[in-house]
């Protein structure tokens, strides 16, 4: 198994823009969930893994002893992972956490910062301070965690070009190894969706959002970060192998409520219900899931869409060998439409998004998925 994802869904509070599977932290529910997770891990066939990723939710809502125990069990079942990531909320980091994580095999920290501007942090419903982030990055360095990544969000209501530059500059000045910069997505049925329905003018349109995205690309590249995927930037040697496997359409297993897997051509997603997940996992039953087999044109379209997200793009010979498709021929009309409008380009044995195409990636990628 190339990648193992583990979902830890408890958070100290719930952010109004978020539609992940998550619940407010309660110690007894969190313990019960962990027991269910152990049962699910025990039910898996032992297999080698390249990467393990503890995501959430807020994984460090669990105390470090619980995280270490979880990692011990995961590494017994899925041996050999060279990259182990944990997402952390900077408010919840306690002295000694990172040393314990590192000793348990963690190589990568992904710190949920979102913004370094207090008013934006408040708008996003988050509670950390800017000083806390600097302290946490320093603690990660002291603990000699190999790669430190920050998440930032742009197109936050109230954000300006200059406040966005301040956040980017703060991340760069901290010298983190990796930075993810995501445009805010307003998900249905979240408090943000209700806000936008009441006050649409508070939110960014595509053009203004594109301006902030351009600032991110420019500043991060100037600071030596390579944009290796639409939203991800890394110093040399610090790309996230776990996510690279997703974009390479590699196999992965997802453990926990709402977690997605892709195995043997079948994509499946576990139930988002706490009760259903915990009851079935603890009873040793298969977790209620939705699944679909990706075959033929559909599988190829998804693979093109994922590969186009990366700087490397679609390897033409590789796609022929792996999926039996000739991208230039089989998708000729899509390729020529976007090539003629300057959004796609052919470079050697690859097709990739142009600098302009990166800004319209969703349109270009979507066209490959829906192509009949
Ligand atoms: S954004 Fe992160 S911390 Fe906030 S509710 Fe969602 S999972 Fe929890």
């Amino acid at each position: 198994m190339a990648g193992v994802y583990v979902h830890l869904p408890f958070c100290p509070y719930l952010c109004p823009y978020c539609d992940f599977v998550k619940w407010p932290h309660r110690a007894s529910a969190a313990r019960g969930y962990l027991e269910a997770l152990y049962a699910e891990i025990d039910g898996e066939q032992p297999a080698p893994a390249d990467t393990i990723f503890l995501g959430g939710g807020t994984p460090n809502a669990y105390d470090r002893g619980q995280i270490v125990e979880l990692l011990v069990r995961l590494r017994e079942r899925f041996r050999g992972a060279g990259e182990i990531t944990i997402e952390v909320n900077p408010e919840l980091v306690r002295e000694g956490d990172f040393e314990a994580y590192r000793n348990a095999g963690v190589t990568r920290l992904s710190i949920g910062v979102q913004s370094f501007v207090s008013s934006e942090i408040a708008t996003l419903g988050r509670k950390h301070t800017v000083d806390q982030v600097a302290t946490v990055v320093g603690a990660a360095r002291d603990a000699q965690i190999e790669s430190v990544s920050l998440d930032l969000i742009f197109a936050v209501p109230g954000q300006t070009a200059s406040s966005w530059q301040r956040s980017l500059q703060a991340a760069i000045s901290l010298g983190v190894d990796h930075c993810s910069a995501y445009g805010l997505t307003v998900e249905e049925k979240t408090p943000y969706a209700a806000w936008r329905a009441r006050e649409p003018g508070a939110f960014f349109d595509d053009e203004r959002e594109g301006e902030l995205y351009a600032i991110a690309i420019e500043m991060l590249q100037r600071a030596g970060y390579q944009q290796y995927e639409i939203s991800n930037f890394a110093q040399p040697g610090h790309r996230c192998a776990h996510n690279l496997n997703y974009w390479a359409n590699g196999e992965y297993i997802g453990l926990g409520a709402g977690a997605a897997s892709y195995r043997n051509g079948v994509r499946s997603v576990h139930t988002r219900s706490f009760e259903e997940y915990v009851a079935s996992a603890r009873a040793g039953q298969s977790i209620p899931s939705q699944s679909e087999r990706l075959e033929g044109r559909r599988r190829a379209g998804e693979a093109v869409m994922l590969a186009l997200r990366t700087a490397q793009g679609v390897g033409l010979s590789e796609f022929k060998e792996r999926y039996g498709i000739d991208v230039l021929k089989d998708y000729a009309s899509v390729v020529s439409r976007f090539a003629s409008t300057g959004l796609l380009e052919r470079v050697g044995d690859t097709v990739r998004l142009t600098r302009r195409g990166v800004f319209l990636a969703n349109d270009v990628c979507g066209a490959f998925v829906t192509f009949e």
Side-chain angles (χ1 to χ4, degrees):
M1 191 54 57
V4 178
Y5 173 81
V6 182
H7 194 67
L8 297 170
F10 296 96
C11 296
Y13 46 78
L14 302 185
C15 309
Y17 58 92
C18 175
D19 84 331
F20 295 151
V21 176
K22 82 285 177 190
W23 298 287
H25 183 263
R26 280 180 293 118
S28 62
R31 262 198 314 274
Y33 182 88
L34 211 47
E35 292 300 325
L37 210 42
Y38 292 161
E40 193 186 5
I41 294 167
D42 291 345
E44 284 293 332
Q45 290 295 329
D50 297 327
T51 62
I52 294 173
F53 195 107
L54 306 187
T58 304
N60 68 326
Y62 282 102
D63 65 43
R64 62 171 168 261
Q66 292 171 307
I67 294 291
V68 168
E69 165 78 12
L70 174 61
L71 285 169
V72 167
R73 288 174 183 250
L74 285 165
R75 294 178 74 197
E76 268 168 22
R77 187 72 26 172
F78 305 104
R79 292 184 182 272
E83 179 190 277
I84 301 181
T85 303
I86 180 169
E87 292 180 341
V88 296
N89 177 330
E91 290 157 61
L92 303 183
V93 175
R94 300 285 170 264
E95 205 179 326
D97 282 356
F98 293 163
E99 283 78 6
Y101 295 168
R102 188 209 53 221
N103 292 338
V106 167
T107 61
R108 217 177 151 266
L109 280 183
S110 174
I111 306 171
V113 175
Q114 320 314 350
S115 173
F116 283 88
V117 176
S118 313
S119 58
E120 291 168 17
I121 296 170
T123 300
L124 290 165
R126 303 184 65 112
K127 304 203 171 120
H128 60 265
T129 64
V130 171
D131 288 348
Q132 268 171 333
V133 179
T135 306
V136 163
V137 172
R141 295 299 182 210
D142 291 346
Q144 298 182 330
I145 302 277
E146 284 172 35
S147 288
V148 178
S149 177
L150 291 186
D151 280 1
L152 295 175
I153 295 185
F154 58 93
V156 178
Q159 197 171 40
T160 62
S162 88
S163 72
W164 176 228
Q165 283 163 342
R166 279 201 344 255
S167 281
L168 289 162
Q169 190 50 54
I172 292 166
S173 301
L174 285 173
V176 292
D177 308 300
H178 185 284
C179 196
S180 301
Y182 298 104
L184 177 77
T185 309
V186 178
E187 305 286 357
E188 280 178 33
K189 298 192 183 136
T190 59
Y192 260 42
W195 180 11
R196 189 171 64 178
R198 282 194 316 272
E199 198 185 345
F203 290 80
F204 280 63
D205 59 26
D206 290 349
E207 194 184 328
R208 289 173 58 226
E209 181 172 336
E211 286 163 15
L212 298 191
Y213 182 44
I215 290 172
I217 294 172
E218 205 268 320
M219 284 184 67
L220 290 168
Q221 286 186 338
R222 196 151 30 87
Y225 295 84
Q226 297 163 343
Q227 184 178 20
Y228 69 105
E229 193 265 349
I230 289 169
S231 306
N232 286 281
F233 302 80
Q235 292 290 349
H238 291 281
R239 295 180 181 198
C240 174
H242 186 81
N243 287 338
L244 281 168
N245 176 56
Y246 287 139
W247 301 316
N249 206 23
E251 297 210 321
Y252 52 88
I253 177 174
L255 304 168
S261 301
Y262 181 51
R263 299 198 254 192
N264 305 318
V266 175
R267 189 164 56 194
S268 60
V269 184
H270 281 355
T271 176
R272 293 171 70 103
S273 154
F274 174 84
E275 287 78 16
E276 237 180 11
Y277 172 74
V278 169
S280 52
R282 292 179 78 160
Q285 295 162 354
S286 63
I287 314 294
S289 303
Q290 288 193 328
S291 59
E292 59 175 340
R293 176 170 288 283
L294 296 181
E295 285 175 313
R297 177 72 82 184
R298 179 82 199 289
R299 178 166 174 250
E302 295 264 341
V304 173
M305 183 260 295
L306 290 168
L308 276 180
R309 295 187 62 89
T310 64
Q312 208 178 320
V314 176
L316 297 172
S317 313
E318 184 207 328
F319 267 64
K320 203 173 265 172
E321 202 175 302
R322 191 165 161 200
Y323 304 104
I325 58 162
D326 182 329
V327 175
L328 295 181
K329 240 205 235 147
D330 297 348
Y331 292 90
S333 60
V334 186
V335 173
S336 76
R337 171 154 53 109
F338 290 117
S340 65
T341 48
L343 303 181
L344 272 184
E345 63 186 354
R346 170 143 186 213
V347 180
D349 190 40
T350 62
V351 170
R352 64 182 191 196
L353 294 171
T354 60
R355 282 176 71 86
R356 262 187 66 217
V358 168
F359 287 81
L360 295 166
N362 287 345
D363 295 346
V364 182
C365 293
F368 283 93
V369 176
T370 53
F371 182 74
E372 294 288 330

